[in-house]
Amino acid sequence: MSERVAVVTGANKGIGFAIVKALCKRFEGVVYLTSRDETRGRTAVEELNKLDLQPRYHQLDITDVQSVSRFRDHIKRSHGGLDILINNAAVANCSDPYTTYEENKYIVDINYKSILILQDLLFPLIRDNGRIVNISSDCGHLSNIRNKKWIQRLSKKNLNVDDINEFVDWFLENCRNGTFKKEDFADEGTMAGYRVAKVALSAITMLQQREMEERNICVNSMHPGLVRTSMTNGVGFYSIDEAAETPVYLALDAPDTLKGAYVWYDKRVLDWYDSEADYFFKTSTLQVK
């Protein structure tokens, strides 16, 4: 039997770094720390080496088809496949609650569109009984959306990828042509690009589960909590090591009946479809000292 392989994207700092650290301590197999910037990634590996942990490194820019293809070829050649994929790489706009079309497109490309590239190139390598964890956000719960048409469309039983892509494109087109409405989103439409991208990621998780079902691969999305990282400008109630606990639980410990779920930072499974719930992100939490 070939050795087991776990991959974490965007892992040179923050939650991704902590997930790699935790996996290196518990996972029986090879753990890959990947990052867009090779220098930062190798520096992160050196930090873990000082703790007697031995992750392997490979450059991976999740928005670049060629980079993902090179990584796929490396995994295929070196290991024949992989068992755990934690899609952590992300960007947010915490400094300004309202952003330009260009910034929103960048946020959507990294937080959502990249998953389509990974799905196409890396998902076929995941072995039977493997696990995929998509790091979403409280911004990824359906209650972040207030537009009734999109709530209904994203909630339908026969949801498909075209529905999700059209939702994302609707938002970006509104940003581009000046028809963006704050009332289409919770919390006065703050951080709308991040909300749209993470709602799309949470939604596509359920489609991915449908496609992976016959191979007994578990695909779940989760909100890691408000974590003290550079992305939140250091504001949060969780350290990165605490925030890594639930993603690692989903990767290693959760029952294999947990599939296509939206999981809260405390391991609770929430009803993603409850658009009236109070699970949406509130910018006021970023003011907490």
Side-chain angles (χ1 to χ4, degrees), residues 52-116:
D52 291 327
L53 302 175
Q54 305 297 326
R56 296 193 195 175
Y57 178 75
H58 201 285
Q59 192 274 341
L60 178 62
D61 180 346
I62 58 170
T63 64
D64 181 345
V65 172
Q66 289 186 322
S67 174
V68 179
S69 296
R70 282 193 297 273
F71 182 62
R72 174 202 60 192
D73 293 345
H74 169 78
I75 292 293
K76 197 186 290 186
R77 186 171 59 248
S78 303
H79 308 285
L82 63 106
D83 302 272
I84 292 171
L85 175 61
I86 299 183
N87 295 310
N88 167 75
V91 294
N93 53 310
C94 285
S95 56
D96 185 349
Y98 300 102
T99 45
T100 64
Y101 162 75
E102 286 76 16
E103 289 170 308
N104 283 325
K105 185 176 184 305
Y106 176 70
I107 288 166
V108 165
D109 283 349
I110 290 181
N111 292 286
Y112 169 65
K113 293 287 181 73
S114 65
I115 201 71
L116 302 176

Side-chain angles (χ1 to χ4, degrees), residues 118-213:
L118 297 176
Q119 187 176 299
D120 186 35
L121 296 173
L122 286 189
F123 282 26
L125 293 186
I126 297 173
R127 299 183 180 110
D128 292 359
N129 308 309
R131 297 197 168 187
I132 299 168
V133 181
N134 293 330
I135 306 294
S136 185
S137 165
D138 51 356
C139 283
H141 190 270
L142 190 59
S143 58
N144 286 275
I145 308 303
R146 292 287 186 264
N147 182 291
K148 297 293 185 203
K149 176 189 129 179
W150 286 111
I151 289 172
Q152 289 174 355
R153 191 160 168 194
L154 292 170
S155 297
K156 68 181 189 175
K157 288 285 182 277
N158 60 342
L159 179 75
N160 60 51
V161 71
D162 289 339
D163 294 313
I164 302 171
N165 287 341
E166 285 172 28
F167 163 65
V168 167
D169 292 342
W170 160 80
F171 164 70
L172 289 175
E173 186 59 28
N174 284 347
C175 294
R176 196 158 62 110
N177 64 25
T179 54
F180 168 76
K181 295 177 182 173
K182 292 180 180 180
E183 58 266 30
D184 282 332
F185 301 92
D187 199 49
E188 298 286 301
T190 57
M191 295 181 66
Y194 194 66
R195 292 179 202 270
V196 165
K198 290 300 192 181
V199 164
L201 178 64
S202 301
I204 204 166
T205 298
M206 293 176 269
L207 300 189
Q208 292 169 346
Q209 180 61 65
R210 214 184 291 164
E211 291 172 14
M212 298 296 208
E213 189 67 46

Side-chain angles (χ1 to χ4, degrees), residues 243-277:
E245 289 178 12
T246 298
V248 171
Y249 161 78
L250 290 172
L252 299 181
D253 305 318
D256 60 12
T257 51
L258 185 59
K259 293 178 173 178
Y262 175 81
V263 182
W264 210 234
Y265 60 84
D266 58 5
K267 302 184 180 67
R268 279 186 299 149
V269 177
L270 300 188
D271 178 4
W272 183 80
Y273 296 98
D274 186 0
S275 61
E276 304 294 322

